[in-house]
Amino acid sequence: MKPTRPRMQKGLDRKAQAYTASLPFDRRLYREDIEGSIAHARMLARQGIISEKDAELIVMGLVSIREEMEQGTFPFKEEMEDIHMNIEVRLAEKIGDAAGRLHTARSRNDQIALDMRLYLKRAITETVGRLRGFQKALLELAEANKSVVMPGYTHLQRAQPVLFTHHLLAYFEMAQRDVERFLDCLKRVDVLPLGSGALAGVPYPIDRDFLARELGFGWVSQNSIDAVSDRDFVAEYEAAACLAMMHLSRLVEELVLWSTEEFGLVEMDEAYATGSSIMPQKRNPDVAELARGKTGRVYGHLMAILTTLKGLPLAYNRDLQEDKEGLFDTIDTLHFTLEVLTGMVQTLKVDSARTRKAAEEGYILATDLADYLVKKGIPFRKAHGIVGEVVRYASESGKGLKELTLEEYRRSSNLFDKDVLNITLESSIASRDVPGGTAPEQVKKALARAREILKGDA
Amino acid sequence: MKPTRPRMQKGLDRKAQAYTASLPFDRRLYREDIEGSIAHARMLARQGIISEKDAELIVMGLVSIREEMEQGTFPFKEEMEDIHMNIEVRLAEKIGDAAGRLHTARSRNDQIALDMRLYLKRAITETVGRLRGFQKALLELAEANKSVVMPGYTHLQRAQPVLFTHHLLAYFEMAQRDVERFLDCLKRVDVLPLGSGALAGVPYPIDRDFLARELGFGWVSQNSIDAVSDRDFVAEYEAAACLAMMHLSRLVEELVLWSTEEFGLVEMDEAYATGSSIMPQKRNPDVAELARGKTGRVYGHLMAILTTLKGLPLAYNRDLQEDKEGLFDTIDTLHFTLEVLTGMVQTLKVDSARTRKAAEEGYILATDLADYLVKKGIPFRKAHGIVGEVVRYASESGKGLKELTLEEYRRSSNLFDKDVLNITLESSIASRDVPGGTAPEQVKKALARAREILKGDA
Amino acid sequence: MKPTRPRMQKGLDRKAQAYTASLPFDRRLYREDIEGSIAHARMLARQGIISEKDAELIVMGLVSIREEMEQGTFPFKEEMEDIHMNIEVRLAEKIGDAAGRLHTARSRNDQIALDMRLYLKRAITETVGRLRGFQKALLELAEANKSVVMPGYTHLQRAQPVLFTHHLLAYFEMAQRDVERFLDCLKRVDVLPLGSGALAGVPYPIDRDFLARELGFGWVSQNSIDAVSDRDFVAEYEAAACLAMMHLSRLVEELVLWSTEEFGLVEMDEAYATGSSIMPQKRNPDVAELARGKTGRVYGHLMAILTTLKGLPLAYNRDLQEDKEGLFDTIDTLHFTLEVLTGMVQTLKVDSARTRKAAEEGYILATDLADYLVKKGIPFRKAHGIVGEVVRYASESGKGLKELTLEEYRRSSNLFDKDVLNITLESSIASRDVPGGTAPEQVKKALARAREILKGDA
Amino acid sequence: MKPTRPRMQKGLDRKAQAYTASLPFDRRLYREDIEGSIAHARMLARQGIISEKDAELIVMGLVSIREEMEQGTFPFKEEMEDIHMNIEVRLAEKIGDAAGRLHTARSRNDQIALDMRLYLKRAITETVGRLRGFQKALLELAEANKSVVMPGYTHLQRAQPVLFTHHLLAYFEMAQRDVERFLDCLKRVDVLPLGSGALAGVPYPIDRDFLARELGFGWVSQNSIDAVSDRDFVAEYEAAACLAMMHLSRLVEELVLWSTEEFGLVEMDEAYATGSSIMPQKRNPDVAELARGKTGRVYGHLMAILTTLKGLPLAYNRDLQEDKEGLFDTIDTLHFTLEVLTGMVQTLKVDSARTRKAAEEGYILATDLADYLVKKGIPFRKAHGIVGEVVRYASESGKGLKELTLEEYRRSSNLFDKDVLNITLESSIASRDVPGGTAPEQVKKALARAREILKGDA
């Protein structure tokens, strides 16, 4: 008979037991569970709720259990449904009756909430670290390609010339917002739930502030019913992860595109390319594609936890056990994706000849022509119309803008003068000299700011 | 160096390899992979593309690999990324050069599509079988409680009396639609993709009809590009599974409610109840709650695959590898949930005294009063208003309808006559004597039809 | 006071009334609501439940209300929350007391289920019609470009040459599955719920088969509780719509890509291109992009209804009112997207020179080389390795396969002979001569089959 | 011909134009659009980019357009696709050529990003205000019912007695987290994108800091490419809204449950109850149910925007237009739901007799018995087992704990003494005297803290 069902005479149905078991995935929480129990035992002794001797025995037992876990020698019992019962039962084997005193003033409801929060706090620290590593790789690639000119795209059509560095730093900004979001989320994870008991608090003179200090929490939860039924922090982490994966999906989409024979703007290192079982010539960007595909999985986990939480009455319900697998997989997927893409960015080669050629073809300087006319005094909207005519003429004559003569320009407007022929990729880029713009001076400042951000965080 | 990257000089980055590896989850497809390869080898020999001797060797080798898999002695190589390469490499170890001929006229793209379809065909058969088992349990519980009267609810307020059997058969109908949806899905899974090659077909005189017959497929795919990039069948199965889980979530929501001290309409067997780590009195419906919670997970998998497929260019992209884990977990979750809930339904006890008491209290026969007045000749809408007045009077006087005297009825309308006092739960139920209604005669027919359905399927 | 709250003394809070009102979106159901009421009135008279005279009055009144609706002169009353009450109240204004008799043997619960099913049945017919129109446009474009050769892509890398027609027909197949899925869904929509009353059936001798015939339903619902709480059909339509939108998102993704300056394989007609407010040269594929973006919206509606239905106890709950807006927007979005994309496909121009050039560059015939070697007797896996070496050599020498001499081929294998130089795009395509393959003969058959499908449906 | 397509000779297809039009939903942004344009015109003049006179004309024109909008006299032109073009064209009608100068140094890409951010900043302020109002209603209800005792539930089974006030304050905590999340989101909305041009910045000496000050932004965007393609803020608001709706769904789920005849713990005011078209006795909690149902809709919008953003290449793509309807509906739904539920909470009546009765029945004090034994010196786990035995005995004897004699208690353990009979609901509640617990002292502090929070915000 299970220790938790003293009122019942029958055990759980064998299948139902396997169905409800969480051991296969919550064993990952053993470190947090033991850490929380040690702090709890110490607090109980400090408050005179259990004896110092019992507390010492308990701590010793738990330390030795942690040792077994780390050595891989812990004798897991599948029939003991979860990690908590496995540790509880093992502790009793090791130290006898004193083990039973550990469960004074605590319920599995506040215990599991504690474990999850401890685990997630660490995970967020690692998430932020990996985002920082990814930003560093972007920054280095950006710095190594400062003079590379490429077409900026809107609607995947060439729009205006930009510096490759500027384009890359857009991803730095996205990652920066991700960092901020995870740190905001951390504030709401950093709350100690222990002491909430099953749902109503506990009838012992416990010291929750001591527990918070021992376990490194910044805050103590304010309402016991909320504390055991709250899983906002799981959903909030997953929502932040969705945005982070979405950003990565945009980057790899571009890398996949740019690696095509047609674009050819970059080349992924062979270490990030795969072959084909049938086509011997293939260098496929599978790693990038898989990162894109895994975005779906992370979105799915968010949808899953939101669905699970919808309409749940207070306080704890077993539905909440479904918080774990999705969260763990979200963390793993995001971390692994960041790690692999960091490597991919670090080894990426930019083909600066092709990026320039792509920018030179076609009508990418048309906006500059319009702005040229504006400076001659006509309203932008009118200038825009005139240049549209120029482009139509050029396109029908099969010419690029560079190939037009001044006479041809003047067919559309007398305001065109010789200096119109001085408009180049470089002049276009240099002219976007506003904060956040692509002019070299601005991009230099952006690089300096990015370095500052990464340093500040080191 | 991997056999699949002959053009490249460097291997895949170690982390990238782990990231792209599918072996941890696609090893589940070994049976289908071997079965497909055996059929392919036989076809190749039959068509004179490889020799009979080579085919024999290949088949022998594959059979012995399957044996190793089933014995648990197969030497999995993690660095060989997926189940296909593991089998391919092992086959070469066993039979040498002939192994290389198996990959004639086939690509991993059509091979994996084949494996997934073979696997899902079997899964659907099992899904339908488990739905049938669940329907059978519902039917048996329904038949065992044919005389139980309960309140029918709308908005969770008591609405009109119904037979418990009638209520239960609503779930039989839902499961019946689930069965039909899975069978419709099966038609679109039952299509052989093998022979599509990487994407364009293969330059060998293969016999796809022979392959279809050997492998038990009803149809052969019509377009090779579509065949290797299509994962509709994954999403369609998952969508059907979402509806099935949604139905189960409605049932367990009701069982959780009905098991409360407040409702008390049913009692779950102890084999499906759990205790508490802290509250000794508890009998919690954890199994039911977990089934409800797992609905979220299945919804999440659907969202994941839909997201992954969105906007993918043709033909195969590595994003498609993300089809597997979600599908496998969907199948497992649905199957396990059906199995456990079948057991729960089989052991459920109905408290017919409390269901009757719940139906007797309050104003559940108010609609019958309105219909009574309609039969006396006034329009329904007017009758509805009169009875509303009766109920308001009764409620303000703290009485149930049964406690009202004829005089009290007549305060609201002279049409009330002595026979109004004959309206009872039984008369109300019996009066709903239309196809699909709750009258005992109709419910009897419904039970007969349900039995017929299950028999027809046996 | 509202006719529906006879027991209460207070009205609904003004804000709550606006919150619960469905008139802004359910007025779209007026035609179905009136049609259902007419059939109901006729049935009631036929069964002697109301008089023929009353029925005539009711039908006349309803017909004149429909007229008002269609003329735009119907006096909508916002305070009458929904379309049903608006019609009910208006009918009473028109014909007096007889109006009240229409609500005999019917509840809003079965009435709204009926309206939704009638509406969706028609919508599906239109959905299928639009899919057929879209398939026709694909087929015509495919037939008009039968000789166009293009690179087939996997991982967005050039893989093997295919006919443009073959690639396009992949989308025909997807649309074909969509048609089948909608028709399967239709079977489950085509079920009459009327007669289920509030949840238990009705206490009048109604004729449900007559109603089904009048209203064109193939089946009658089997369980009244299920009939009023079932919204599977909404979710099932939306799931099918998700797959259809996903298919369209894949097509437009390709069209956006192919329309880039870099790919340049197709040109969208100006009627489907937009300009820019600032860049005068732009021809943006906004229409295609928006179709891709709208995929998200349809996925969202599916997730919404699934979430709403999760864990709902039987029978009707007001949550179900949330079925409408998502369904209507799904239908509208899918229909409009199909219509617009049909036009886009009809006017698409293929640049057969560029598609051929793209196929000629690079190493797209590498698989053919491997198959060439297989025919000389070596296993495919070995041949694959040899060709990988050839490609590596060519790539390092900056040559395409066409530029290699026989001697250069023979550096990797003596099996290469003069006939290796005969391998061309045409020979490659012609060799994929298996059912579903890209060989002209097979594509011709596929076109014939496609024409047959469209004809059969006309 | 549209001003934005100067290069093209044909207009947009009529259907495609309707398909891409955003006027039906983006007209809601007119105020922000005009406000942004006024600031832009002032800045252009201040920097000498346009003349003061032109700026004055522009501002005058825009003010008069705003007037027209607010009076409902603005002549919307549907063929002018969006709100920006409508205003642009109208301005030209009013002030002639000068209107064309407003579009100097600005693109629709940074303009629409600006409008959305301005709009959302205001929306967040309102969201927070409504959450505060909702918290206030909770607090008032909590304060008005300070002495009400009810069963705390886990797994919907009675668990331990709690104060009703304590239970209610759990929702106060949830709303508090919601407030914090929206304020965190606000930091990332509060960033000026104007000056980013189409994607690369603008070639004019603009003053972005001036713009930020004029428009009340705290920050200026750092990367022009990111600024025009970023919609994180939409997804982040929607994710926060999902959690807020989820919390509300939990509350209304409880209110629906508690309003059943079976629970009967609360009564909703008639102003929030609806009747039935057929059952005259009904008082249905439709408003609460609809709030629960609308959770799905908000989840759906989040999923929609995440799907839309997945894998989008930089910079602006038309897919981004899909950000609006979902965001607007999310804001509206959340605001309206908060408003209506605030009213519902304000008028809720608690039946303190029934809540107490529910707490008194059964074995809700079992944990207190276990803690009683612990205080006598035995380990909790052992005490838990003993009390399980007591409960089993009582339950089999058909008795509640209050009905057991000391002798009966002592059958299970000699440690039970006379004082065991002093354990009551009140003693149980008072004993949970830890921070966050349900003891009256603690709840008093929680109320004080809640008042403080609301005051601080006023």
Side-chain angles (χ1 to χ4, degrees), chain B residues 57-256:
Chain B
L57 265 172
I58 289 169
V59 171
M60 254 178 44
L62 288 169
V63 166
S64 110
I65 286 171
R66 179 162 55 197
E67 195 60 22
E68 289 180 345
M69 292 276 185
E70 265 148 25
Q71 302 297 325
T73 62
F74 183 86
F76 282 106
K77 295 192 176 137
E78 301 238 332
E79 69 279 15
M80 287 292 136
E81 67 184 86
D82 64 20
I83 187 66
H84 321 297
M85 284 313 293
N86 264 274
I87 293 176
E88 173 171 345
V89 166
R90 182 75 180 141
L91 188 62
E93 287 171 13
K94 284 183 179 274
I95 66 164
D97 261 19
R101 300 200 195 275
L102 173 59
H103 305 287
T104 314
R106 192 177 66 168
S107 154
R108 261 191 301 184
N109 296 353
D110 53 349
Q111 186 178 356
I112 184 59
L114 173 67
D115 293 0
M116 289 292 284
R117 285 174 178 272
L118 274 174
Y119 185 88
L120 189 52
K121 280 183 63 178
R122 275 159 204 171
I124 292 176
T125 305
E126 184 170 348
T127 306
V128 169
R130 289 189 183 233
L131 281 163
R132 288 308 189 205
F134 172 67
Q135 286 182 305
K136 189 159 169 281
L138 288 171
L139 179 55
E140 284 167 4
L141 185 65
E143 287 184 320
N145 291 279
K146 266 187 291 205
S147 58
V148 175
V149 172
M150 67 176 282
Y153 294 85
T154 62
H155 309 268
L156 223 52
Q157 300 285 318
R158 293 169 189 163
Q160 294 176 351
V162 296
L163 292 181
F164 175 81
T165 299
H166 188 58
H167 189 109
L168 216 56
L169 287 178
Y171 289 103
F172 187 95
E173 289 299 309
M174 295 180 215
Q176 185 60 20
R177 282 194 299 277
D178 291 328
V179 166
E180 287 168 18
R181 251 186 301 267
F182 282 112
L183 293 178
D184 282 342
C185 171
L186 182 57
K187 296 183 299 188
R188 283 176 284 275
V189 182
D190 193 19
V191 178
L192 175 92
L194 198 60
S196 302
L199 80 157
V202 294
Y204 297 89
I206 62 171
D207 184 343
R208 300 188 68 202
D209 289 328
F210 172 81
L211 286 170
R213 281 196 308 277
E214 280 285 292
L215 294 166
F217 280 96
W219 287 270
V220 162
S221 66
Q222 297 288 334
N223 182 292
S224 58
I225 296 178
D226 177 51
V228 293
S229 48
D230 169 30
R231 290 298 184 276
D232 285 13
F233 56 96
V234 173
E236 187 172 351
Y237 181 90
E238 292 182 3
C242 283
L243 285 175
M245 285 299 294
M246 181 270 282
H247 294 149
L248 299 177
S249 81
R250 299 183 79 164
L251 174 62
V252 293
E253 172 84 7
E254 297 209 309
L255 295 183
V256 167

Side-chain angles (χ1 to χ4, degrees), chain D residues 91-126:
Chain D
L91 187 63
E93 287 171 11
K94 284 185 180 271
I95 66 165
D97 262 17
R101 300 201 196 274
L102 173 59
H103 305 287
T104 315
R106 193 177 64 168
S107 154
R108 261 191 302 183
N109 295 352
D110 52 349
Q111 185 179 355
I112 184 59
L114 173 68
D115 294 1
M116 289 292 283
R117 286 175 178 273
L118 274 174
Y119 185 88
L120 188 53
K121 280 183 63 178
R122 274 158 205 172
I124 291 177
T125 304
E126 183 168 349

Side-chain angles (χ1 to χ4, degrees), chain C residues 4-13 15-16 18-20 106-108 198-199 269-283 286-287 289-297 299-300 303-304 307-308 312 316-319 321-322 325 336-337 339-340, chain D residues 4-13 15-16 18-20 106-108 198-199 269-283 286-287 289-297 299-300 303-304 307-308 312 316-319 321-322 325 336-337 339-340:
Chain C
T4 53
R5 38 195 301 132
R7 178 190 176 175
M8 288 177 265
Q9 299 189 305
K10 237 202 261 190
L12 199 55
D13 172 75
K15 290 278 179 185
Y19 186 73
T20 51
R106 191 176 66 167
S107 154
R108 262 191 301 182
L199 80 156
D269 193 81
E270 281 190 0
Y272 294 91
T274 62
S276 152
S277 72
I278 185 166
M279 294 167 286
Q281 86 277 19
K282 282 305 217 72
R283 282 177 104 266
D286 287 55
V287 181
E289 291 166 83
L290 201 53
R292 184 177 60 189
K294 283 181 185 290
T295 310
R297 163 198 294 253
Y299 286 10
M303 206 34 56
T307 302
T308 295
L312 274 196
Y316 186 83
N317 300 282
R318 190 63 173 262
D319 315 57
Q321 178 173 306
E322 284 289 304
E325 286 163 284
F336 207 171
T337 303
E339 182 174 13
V340 173
Chain D
T4 53
R5 37 196 299 131
R7 177 189 178 176
M8 287 178 266
Q9 301 190 303
K10 236 200 268 189
L12 200 55
D13 172 76
K15 290 277 179 186
Y19 186 72
T20 52
R106 193 177 64 168
S107 154
R108 261 191 302 183
L199 80 156
D269 193 82
E270 280 191 0
Y272 294 92
T274 61
S276 152
S277 73
I278 185 167
M279 295 168 284
Q281 86 276 19
K282 281 305 217 76
R283 282 176 104 267
D286 286 54
V287 181
E289 290 165 84
L290 200 54
R292 185 176 59 189
K294 283 181 186 290
T295 309
R297 160 197 297 251
Y299 286 9
M303 206 34 55
T307 302
T308 296
L312 273 197
Y316 185 84
N317 300 283
R318 189 63 172 262
D319 314 58
Q321 178 174 305
E322 285 289 305
E325 286 163 283
F336 207 171
T337 304
E339 183 174 13
V340 172

Side-chain angles (χ1 to χ4, degrees), chain D residues 54-125:
Chain D
D54 279 349
E56 257 173 63
L57 266 173
I58 289 170
V59 172
M60 255 178 45
L62 289 169
V63 167
S64 109
I65 286 171
R66 181 163 53 197
E67 195 60 25
E68 290 179 346
M69 292 277 183
E70 267 149 26
Q71 302 298 326
T73 61
F74 182 87
F76 282 106
K77 293 188 177 140
E78 301 238 333
E79 69 281 15
M80 288 293 136
E81 64 183 89
D82 63 21
I83 186 67
H84 321 297
M85 284 314 293
N86 265 276
I87 293 176
E88 172 171 344
V89 166
R90 182 75 180 142
L91 187 63
E93 287 171 11
K94 284 185 180 271
I95 66 165
D97 262 17
R101 300 201 196 274
L102 173 59
H103 305 287
T104 315
R106 193 177 64 168
S107 154
R108 261 191 302 183
N109 295 352
D110 52 349
Q111 185 179 355
I112 184 59
L114 173 68
D115 294 1
M116 289 292 283
R117 286 175 178 273
L118 274 174
Y119 185 88
L120 188 53
K121 280 183 63 178
R122 274 158 205 172
I124 291 177
T125 304

Side-chain angles (χ1 to χ4, degrees), chain A residues 169-442:
Chain A
L169 287 178
Y171 289 103
F172 187 96
E173 289 299 309
M174 296 180 213
Q176 185 59 21
R177 283 195 296 280
D178 291 328
V179 166
E180 288 168 18
R181 253 186 300 267
F182 282 112
L183 293 178
D184 282 341
C185 171
L186 182 56
K187 296 182 298 188
R188 284 176 283 276
V189 182
D190 193 18
V191 177
L192 175 93
L194 198 60
S196 302
L199 80 157
V202 295
Y204 298 88
I206 62 171
D207 183 344
R208 298 188 70 204
D209 290 327
F210 173 82
L211 286 170
R213 280 196 309 278
E214 281 284 292
L215 294 166
F217 279 96
W219 286 271
V220 162
S221 67
Q222 297 288 334
N223 183 291
S224 57
I225 295 178
D226 176 51
V228 295
S229 48
D230 169 29
R231 289 298 183 276
D232 284 13
F233 57 97
V234 173
E236 187 172 351
Y237 181 91
E238 291 182 4
C242 283
L243 285 175
M245 285 298 294
M246 181 270 281
H247 294 149
L248 299 177
S249 81
R250 299 182 79 166
L251 174 62
V252 295
E253 172 84 6
E254 296 209 309
L255 295 182
V256 167
L257 271 178
W258 294 353
S259 303
T260 56
E261 283 97 335
E262 288 77 6
F263 276 81
L265 307 184
V266 300
E267 193 183 26
M268 284 182 201
D269 193 82
E270 281 191 358
Y272 294 91
T274 61
S276 151
S277 73
I278 185 166
M279 294 167 285
Q281 86 277 19
K282 282 306 217 70
R283 283 176 103 266
N284 289 328
D286 286 55
V287 181
E289 291 166 83
L290 200 54
R292 184 176 61 190
K294 284 182 184 293
T295 309
R297 161 198 295 252
V298 175
Y299 287 10
H301 293 318
L302 173 60
M303 199 37 52
I305 188 73
L306 286 173
T307 302
T308 296
L309 292 173
K310 183 225 162 190
L312 272 197
L314 302 186
Y316 186 85
N317 300 281
R318 189 64 172 260
D319 315 57
L320 294 182
Q321 178 174 307
E322 285 288 305
D323 60 347
K324 287 176 200 60
E325 285 162 285
L327 178 63
F328 295 161
D329 190 65
T330 298
I331 294 170
D332 293 348
T333 301
L334 178 57
H335 286 185
F336 207 170
T337 303
L338 280 168
E339 183 174 13
V340 172
L341 293 191
T342 296
M344 185 186 294
V345 167
Q346 284 167 338
T347 55
L348 196 73
K349 275 173 222 77
V350 185
D351 185 337
S352 60
R354 279 197 75 172
T355 56
R356 166 166 286 273
K357 186 155 170 292
E360 277 170 346
E361 291 167 7
Y363 307 102
I364 207 170
L365 296 174
T367 319
D368 298 274
L369 285 180
D371 287 321
Y372 169 93
L373 291 173
V374 167
K375 278 157 195 168
K376 303 268 174 177
I378 58 171
F380 183 81
R381 186 54 74 224
K382 199 166 270 180
H384 181 264
I386 293 168
V387 179
E389 210 181 297
V390 172
V391 171
R392 195 161 67 228
Y393 165 79
S395 151
E396 284 164 12
S397 325
K399 298 185 178 176
L401 288 181
K402 286 211 297 193
E403 299 158 72
L404 294 186
T405 62
L406 183 54
E407 287 63 45
E408 287 175 308
Y409 275 115
R410 295 176 70 101
R411 292 163 61 125
S412 297
S413 166
N414 285 328
L415 291 170
F416 285 115
D417 230 326
K418 245 171 69 180
D419 56 349
V420 73
L421 305 176
N422 298 338
I423 296 175
T424 62
L425 292 180
E426 273 68 24
S427 76
S428 170
I429 288 175
S431 72
R432 264 83 189 166
D433 192 15
V434 293
T438 195
E441 268 319 292
Q442 297 295 339

Side-chain angles (χ1 to χ4, degrees), chain C residues 49-160:
Chain C
I49 299 167
I50 66 172
S51 70
E52 281 292 348
K53 209 182 116 245
D54 280 348
E56 257 172 64
L57 264 172
I58 289 170
V59 171
M60 255 179 45
L62 288 169
V63 167
S64 110
I65 286 171
R66 181 161 56 197
E67 194 61 22
E68 289 180 345
M69 292 276 183
E70 265 148 27
Q71 302 298 326
T73 61
F74 183 87
F76 281 106
K77 295 192 174 135
E78 301 238 333
E79 70 279 15
M80 287 293 137
E81 65 182 88
D82 64 21
I83 186 67
H84 321 298
M85 282 315 292
N86 264 275
I87 293 177
E88 172 170 345
V89 166
R90 182 76 180 140
L91 188 63
E93 286 171 13
K94 284 182 181 272
I95 66 164
D97 262 19
R101 300 200 194 275
L102 173 59
H103 305 287
T104 315
R106 191 176 66 167
S107 154
R108 262 191 301 182
N109 296 352
D110 54 349
Q111 186 178 356
I112 185 57
L114 173 68
D115 292 2
M116 289 292 282
R117 285 173 178 272
L118 273 175
Y119 185 87
L120 189 52
K121 280 183 64 177
R122 274 158 204 172
I124 292 176
T125 304
E126 184 169 348
T127 306
V128 169
R130 288 188 183 236
L131 281 164
R132 288 308 189 203
F134 172 67
Q135 286 182 305
K136 188 157 170 286
L138 288 171
L139 179 55
E140 284 167 4
L141 186 63
E143 287 184 321
N145 292 279
K146 266 188 289 203
S147 58
V148 175
V149 173
M150 67 175 282
Y153 295 85
T154 62
H155 309 268
L156 223 52
Q157 300 286 316
R158 293 168 188 163
Q160 295 176 351

